[in-house]
């Protein structure tokens, strides 16, 4: 006999005492926590509580795409009132506590059936259940508490349940990093109890619920007999040296003080104190451990309500929404064409990286061309090494890695290029060389083949000058290392065909990239905004400000590395070529200090030559190379306030972003923020240059730049588009109600 309850966002049924609750938020492809879903879940819980015939419960999802992906970010970003947020989350706390009480106090086992993303509030719901049965699909199923990436903390009990389930150290690690774990890692740490094939998740969860109901066993943990867990695996885990070491810290007050102190130290090293959420996570977990779980729950509610309205949280949430919008954008009003085979010209770090993402992520064949067999061998070695690394990390199955390796072939001539749908050129910045390669490619490929240049500064229209098929020429600017950097900047000219744009964008997404589309100009967007940033850092150095002071100041401001470390990584010689291109295009505003030429003449090329602004031994950075000061004729004795260094280096970057928008290089301020953060490491908690202006106030940014212009010259003069925003009070990214523009 099946008993049904009709609800908008939940499928509820009871069969022979077993209640099955399948979440299905209407109008959304993924389950996320909304007021309507929470209200339906309250109705279900009340029904279960008041029906003595129900002896067991399974909570799963009716969505094929996932279990429960957490809170609705759009809803979270709209929250402006801390007290209202506190009250809303308090209701969710109460709801999850009632689910927990069903098995802890009511004697009715509750089993979560997990397939697909189980994140944020989804994991908090699963942890409120007494057992978690998880699918073995590592490509789809992941579990975690990613709230810190949004500037907040777990707000539905996660700060208290997670450490009690997996241990304080493991719980802090998951919450502070926001990382997710795949099924077998989740099983190993005790986050789930059993792993089964995806198609069996619901059946096994229902079976475990019935078994527990029959034995009146509502304890957490596997029910035994599973080949994926069970008592033996648990004993081995508890007897492992790592676990015993964690117990020594977690099971006594002195050890816990050491653990929390170490966590705080590492967190501050990573965040530089710029993100308030990690600090709050440590405070709340510590409160729960020392003062009890009820005090921990209360602290969690207070901290979340305070954090959700901070500028950092608003910026991080908007950045998440921006990246999702970029994933939905097609770039042009046209249907993309399928890419079955690619070709890459140049097999160095960039070309080799492009071949890797073509293979591992996009799953297409790639033909690599190099100048000789030695270079081709190095390209193959790079591809094979990366694929082996993915297999080791279980991103691809070991058996699959052998197939992926076979997708990459190579040559030192043009053989194997004729049937390529997309040819990506990844050679160094030489206009005539790129033009010659384009002409050669057009002579051997079909009329529909796309030619993409991975140039970082040369205008695509200049490369396409003389092309037989200029409508098929586009820029696809990757960032190094290609396998890790998330951004792809697609550059289009006035003649690039819409279908070519749409195809390049779609293929970039296949490669796993977040894609922005920009219009053609020297340096496009990302290289153009870096020009004033690195130039000003060099001017500070020429004034005698130590390299370490400048780099440290910008890392403190939020960049992952300072400008001099960045120049060493890119290559000082490469930077010098790019600055010449930028100066030719934009005049003295982009002119580098003359001292830069001395470094190139002295063969200081950065990491690749072992000599740059830093010293390198066996490829490892060892500290500032003090001899660089003598080469530049500089005495590193000038001391400036850290805020002065930060303003002088960061504000030219921000101003150039505004010019790119005004000049039509950027299609939107959103693209500018996504490109800066995902491609250049602009501090995520600042949201990107346009969000930074909005949160700082355009009038204050103009005031700072005018003050710097009085002291240092016209290169700091605020762009007219920025002045107009300051005078009109109109933000770049939000309307007057605070909603995203």
């Amino acid at each position: 006999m099946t008993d049904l309850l009709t609800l908008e966002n939940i499928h509820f049924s009871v069969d022979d005492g077993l209640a099955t609750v399948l979440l299905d938020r209407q109008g959304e492809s993924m389950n996320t926590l909304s007021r309507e879903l929470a209200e339906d879940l309250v109705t279900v819980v009340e029904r279960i509580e008041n029906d003595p015939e129900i002896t067991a419960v399974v909570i799963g999802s009716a969505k094929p795409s996932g279990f429960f992906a957490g809170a609705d970010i759009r809803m979270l970003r709209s929250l402006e009132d801390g007290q209202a947020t506190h009250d809303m989350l308090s209701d969710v706390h109460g709801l999850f506590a009632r689910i927990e009480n069903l098995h802890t106090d009511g004697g009715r086992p509750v089993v979560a059936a997990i397939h697909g993303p189980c994140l944020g509030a989804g994991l908090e719901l699963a942890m409120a259940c007494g057992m978690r049965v998880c699918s073995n699909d590592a490509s789809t199923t992941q579990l975690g508490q990613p709230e810190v990436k949004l500037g907040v903390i777990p707000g539905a009990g996660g700060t208290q349940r997670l450490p009690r389930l997996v241990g304080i150290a493991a719980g802090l690690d998951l919450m502070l990093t926001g990382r997710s774990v795949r099924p077998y890692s989740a099983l190993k740490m005790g986050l789930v109890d059993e792993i089964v094939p995806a198609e069996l998740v619901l059946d096994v969860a229902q079976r475990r619920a019935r078994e527990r109901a029959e034995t009146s066993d509502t304890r957490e943990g596997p029910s035994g007999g599973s080949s994926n867990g069970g008592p033996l695996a648990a004993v081995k885990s508890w007897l492992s040296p790592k676990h015993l070491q964690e117990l020594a810290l977690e099971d006594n007050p002195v050890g816990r003080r050491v653990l929390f102190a170490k966590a705080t130290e590492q967190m501050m090293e990573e965040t530089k104190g710029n993100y308030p959420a990690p600090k709050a996570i440590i405070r709340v977990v510590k409160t729960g451990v020392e003062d009890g779980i009820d005090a921990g729950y209360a602290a969690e509610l207070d901290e979340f309500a305070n954090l959700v309205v901070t500028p950092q949280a608003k910026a991080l949430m908007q950045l998440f929404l921006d990246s999702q919008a970029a994933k939905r954008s097609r770039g042009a009003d046209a249907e993309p064409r399928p890419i079955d085979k690619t070709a890459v010209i140049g097999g160095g770090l960039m070309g080799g990286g492009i071949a890797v993402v073509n293979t591992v992520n996009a799953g297409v064949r790639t033909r690599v061309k190099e100048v000789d067999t030695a270079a081709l061998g190095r390209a193959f070695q790079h591809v094979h090494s990366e694929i082996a690394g993915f297999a080791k990390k279980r991103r691809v199955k070991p058996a699959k890695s052998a197939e992926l390796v076979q997708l990459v072939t190579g040559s030192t001539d043009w053989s194997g290029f004729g049937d390529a749908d997309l040819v990506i050129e990844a050679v160094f910045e030489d206009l005539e060389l790129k033009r010659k390669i384009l002409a050669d490619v057009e002579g051997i490929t079909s009329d529909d083949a796309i030619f993409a240049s991975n140039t970082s500064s040369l205008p695509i229209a200049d490369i396409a000058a003389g092309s037989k098929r200029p409508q098929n020429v586009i820029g696809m600017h990757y960032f190094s290392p290609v396998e890790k950097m998330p951004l792809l900047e697609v550059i289009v000219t006035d003649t690039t065909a819409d279908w070519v744009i749409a195809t390049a964008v779609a293929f970039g997404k296949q490669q796993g990239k977040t894609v922005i589309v920009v219009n053609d100009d020297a340096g496009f967007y990302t290289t153009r905004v870096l020009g004033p940033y690195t130039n000003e850092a060099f001017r500070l150095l020429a004034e005698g400000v130590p390299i370490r002071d400048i780099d440290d100041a910008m890392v403190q401001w939020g960049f992952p590395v300072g400008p001099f470390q960045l120049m060493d990584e890119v290559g000082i010689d490469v930077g010098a070529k790019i600055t010449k291109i930028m100066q030719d295009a934009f005049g003295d505003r982009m002119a580098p200090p003359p001292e830069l030429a001395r470094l190139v003449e002295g063969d200081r090329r950065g990491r690749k030559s072992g000599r740059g602004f830093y010293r390198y031994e066996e490829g490892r950075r060892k500290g500032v190379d003090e001899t660089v000061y003598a080469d530049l004729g500089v005495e590193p004795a000038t001391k400036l306030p850290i805020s002065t260094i930060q303003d002088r280096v960061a504000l030219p970057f921000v101003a150039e972003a505004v010019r790119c928008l005004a000049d039509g290089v950027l299609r939107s301020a959103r693209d500018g923020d996504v490109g800066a953060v995902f491609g250049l490491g602009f501090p995520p908690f600042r949201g990107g240059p346009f969000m930074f202006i909005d949160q700082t106030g355009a009038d204050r940014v103009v005031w700072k730049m005018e003050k710097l212009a009085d002291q240092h010259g016209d290169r700091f003069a605020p762009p007219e588009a920025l002045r107009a925003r300051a005078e009109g009070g109109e933000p770049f990214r939000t309307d007057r109600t605070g909603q995203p523009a």
Side-chain angles (χ1 to χ4, degrees):
M1 178 71 179
T2 299
D3 183 14
L4 301 174
L5 182 65
T6 302
L7 296 166
E8 185 176 357
N9 298 286
I10 293 177
H11 304 290
F12 177 82
S13 62
V14 180
D15 186 10
D16 194 23
L18 173 66
T20 300
V21 181
L22 300 180
L23 310 177
D24 189 11
R25 185 179 174 189
Q26 292 303 298
E28 301 290 339
S29 61
M30 185 73 69
N31 287 319
T32 54
L33 183 61
S34 65
R35 191 178 304 277
E36 295 76 17
L37 179 59
E39 288 173 352
D40 282 356
L41 194 52
V42 168
T43 300
V44 166
V45 171
E46 287 177 348
R47 168 66 186 278
I48 296 170
E49 289 172 333
N50 295 319
D51 189 344
E53 298 299 318
I54 295 177
T55 57
V57 182
V58 168
I59 299 178
S61 170
K63 303 280 190 190
S65 55
F67 176 70
F68 195 162
D72 186 329
I73 310 304
R74 295 163 298 184
M75 179 271 291
L76 284 183
R77 197 187 184 284
S78 69
L79 297 173
E80 298 290 345
D81 184 284
Q83 186 58 51
T85 301
H86 188 287
D87 294 344
M88 178 190 71
L89 271 184
S90 182
D91 290 341
V92 178
H93 267 236
L95 172 60
F96 286 6
R98 290 167 69 181
I99 293 172
E100 188 173 54
N101 288 339
L102 288 173
H103 60 88
T104 57
D105 295 338
R108 287 181 276 194
V110 182
V111 179
I114 302 168
H115 171 62
C118 177
L119 303 169
L123 181 57
E124 290 171 302
L125 171 61
M127 289 190 295
C129 300
M131 183 182 184
R132 286 152 294 282
V133 175
C134 179
S135 90
N136 63 358
D137 188 346
S139 64
T140 302
T141 300
Q142 52 185 317
L143 303 94
Q145 300 277 190
E147 290 87 350
V148 71
K149 296 180 180 180
L150 300 173
V152 293
I153 67 175
T159 63
Q160 305 307 303
R161 290 191 177 96
L162 185 58
R164 285 166 173 80
L165 192 59
V166 302
I168 299 171
L172 281 174
D173 176 63
L174 287 177
M175 288 185 279
L176 290 173
T177 62
R179 70 183 181 92
S180 57
V181 293
R182 303 296 174 175
Y184 286 98
S185 295
L187 179 69
K188 186 176 180 180
M189 68 170 51
L191 190 54
V192 300
D193 301 297
E194 188 171 356
I195 295 177
V196 299
E199 60 272 17
L200 299 179
V201 168
L202 186 59
D203 288 342
V204 173
Q206 291 172 330
R207 191 183 315 143
R208 296 293 179 254
R210 290 188 187 278
E211 289 170 356
R212 289 186 164 211
E214 290 169 0
T215 60
S216 299
D217 180 6
T218 61
R219 295 170 295 172
E220 292 187 1
S223 58
S226 168
S227 61
N228 299 306
L232 182 59
V235 169
K236 288 181 178 179
S237 174
W238 279 88
L239 294 181
S240 70
K242 180 180 178 183
H243 190 77
L244 291 174
Q245 185 180 30
E246 289 175 354
L247 283 177
L249 289 175
E250 296 184 9
D251 277 6
N252 67 85
V254 175
R256 287 195 296 269
R257 281 199 294 272
V258 172
L259 190 156
F260 283 115
K262 188 66 176 176
T264 301
E265 177 186 338
Q266 292 176 343
M267 176 270 296
M268 291 299 292
E269 175 64 25
E270 289 291 324
T271 68
K272 312 303 178 188
N274 287 317
Y275 295 80
K279 302 175 191 176
I281 287 170
I282 293 176
R283 285 196 300 267
V284 172
V285 172
K286 189 175 182 180
T287 297
V289 170
E290 295 182 349
D291 300 333
I293 195 167
D294 289 338
Y297 284 141
E300 178 182 283
L301 288 171
D302 290 341
E303 293 280 10
F304 189 101
N306 291 332
L307 287 168
V308 77
V309 295
T310 60
Q312 294 91 336
K314 296 295 186 188
L316 289 166
M317 289 179 195
Q318 187 57 55
L319 192 61
F320 173 83
L321 295 173
D322 290 343
S323 67
Q324 296 301 109
K327 290 177 181 178
R328 293 190 296 270
S329 174
R330 296 168 63 174
D333 188 16
E335 286 292 327
R337 298 184 185 179
I339 299 294
D340 295 319
K341 181 179 178 181
T342 64
V344 177
I345 303 168
L349 287 178
M350 292 298 290
I354 294 168
V356 170
V357 296
N358 285 355
T359 303
V360 175
N361 296 338
V364 300
R365 294 175 294 150
T366 299
R367 182 76 165 180
V368 178
K369 182 180 185 298
E370 258 295 357
V371 293
D372 54 40
T373 54
L376 195 60
R378 289 191 294 272
F380 285 157
Q381 183 179 13
H382 177 80
V383 172
H384 295 180
S385 175
E386 289 295 317
I387 292 175
F390 289 136
K392 185 176 181 180
K393 296 174 184 176
R394 294 190 176 180
R395 279 193 56 186
V396 298
K397 295 179 180 179
K400 181 70 174 177
S401 64
E403 297 178 24
L404 294 176
V405 166
Q406 298 302 315
L407 291 176
V408 182
T409 60
S411 65
T412 57
D413 56 25
W414 293 111
S415 62
F417 271 66
D419 59 344
D421 303 303
L422 169 65
V423 178
I424 303 174
E425 163 268 302
V427 302
F428 55 87
E429 296 291 89
D430 183 297
L431 180 59
E432 292 308 316
L433 175 62
K434 291 177 185 288
R435 284 176 172 171
K436 181 181 184 307
I437 289 173
L438 171 58
D440 289 345
V441 168
E442 287 185 330
I444 58 174
T445 55
S446 71
D447 290 344
D448 288 337
I450 297 172
F451 180 89
S453 175
N454 182 45
T455 177
S456 59
S457 59
L458 294 169
I460 302 302
D462 289 356
I463 296 172
S467 167
K468 294 190 298 183
R469 304 190 290 268
Q471 72 277 8
N472 289 16
V473 180
I474 197 166
M476 293 179 73
H477 179 204
Y478 296 87
F479 297 79
S480 184
V482 179
E483 299 90 340
K484 295 180 180 179
M485 293 297 286
L487 189 74
L488 171 63
E489 185 179 26
V490 170
I491 307 104
V492 303
T493 71
D494 291 340
T495 57
T496 306
D498 282 351
W499 73 265
V500 172
I501 299 171
T503 301
V505 169
F507 188 69
K509 293 175 186 177
Q510 279 183 252
Q511 293 174 316
K513 301 299 180 183
T514 297
V515 185
I516 62 169
V517 178
V518 301
N519 292 319
D520 191 30
D521 204 352
F524 328 124
Y525 171 59
T526 53
T527 301
R528 179 170 162 182
V529 294
L530 272 184
Y533 172 82
T534 54
N535 282 350
E536 195 58 34
F538 209 103
R539 286 192 173 89
L540 283 165
L541 171 58
E543 293 170 18
V545 181
I547 290 168
R548 174 54 66 192
D549 286 5
I550 300 167
D551 271 2
D552 284 352
M554 299 319 297
V555 170
Q556 288 288 339
W557 202 73
F559 280 94
V561 298
F564 293 106
Q565 187 180 341
L566 176 65
M567 283 188 263
D568 269 7
E569 296 294 335
V570 170
I572 297 171
D573 55 330
V574 174
K577 289 181 180 179
I578 291 173
T579 55
K580 178 65 168 63
I581 294 170
M582 303 303 288
Q583 184 178 4
D584 289 347
F586 300 106
D588 291 343
R589 180 168 56 78
M590 288 284 193
E595 292 85 354
L596 178 60
R598 297 184 198 172
L599 299 184
V600 179
E601 291 166 3
D603 196 35
R604 283 189 186 270
R605 293 180 291 148
R607 180 187 289 275
K608 62 188 175 186
S609 68
R611 298 179 71 238
F613 298 105
Y614 290 87
R615 294 182 294 108
Y616 298 89
E617 295 178 10
E618 297 180 352
R620 295 184 177 182
R621 184 165 52 92
K622 291 296 183 180
V624 172
D625 186 344
E626 300 293 335
T627 65
V628 74
Y629 296 119
D631 289 354
L632 293 171
V634 168
E635 179 67 29
T638 302
K639 292 295 180 183
L640 291 177
I642 187 172
S643 60
T644 299
I645 296 172
Q646 291 168 340
D647 283 348
R648 281 188 60 177
V649 177
L651 292 182
F653 181 118
V654 170
E656 200 62 37
V658 174
R659 291 189 181 96
C660 286
L661 182 63
D663 293 348
V665 172
L666 285 172
R667 292 181 168 187
S668 67
R670 183 199 76 192
D671 287 347
D673 284 345
V674 169
V677 173
F678 287 88
L680 303 174
F682 192 93
F685 72 93
R686 300 185 189 276
F690 295 98
M691 181 63 75
F692 166 75
I693 293 170
D694 285 354
Q695 291 191 335
T696 304
D699 54 347
R700 180 163 178 78
V701 175
V702 166
W703 175 80
K704 283 187 173 188
M705 295 198 71
E706 287 177 337
K707 188 176 178 181
L708 288 170
D710 290 341
Q711 296 170 340
H712 303 288
D714 288 345
R715 68 181 183 275
F716 283 103
E720 288 305 314
L722 181 59
R723 290 184 186 276
R725 296 282 177 164
E727 293 169 2
E730 197 68 32
F732 283 100
R733 292 305 318 275
T734 57
D735 61 28
R736 296 189 182 280
T737 68
Q739 296 303 306

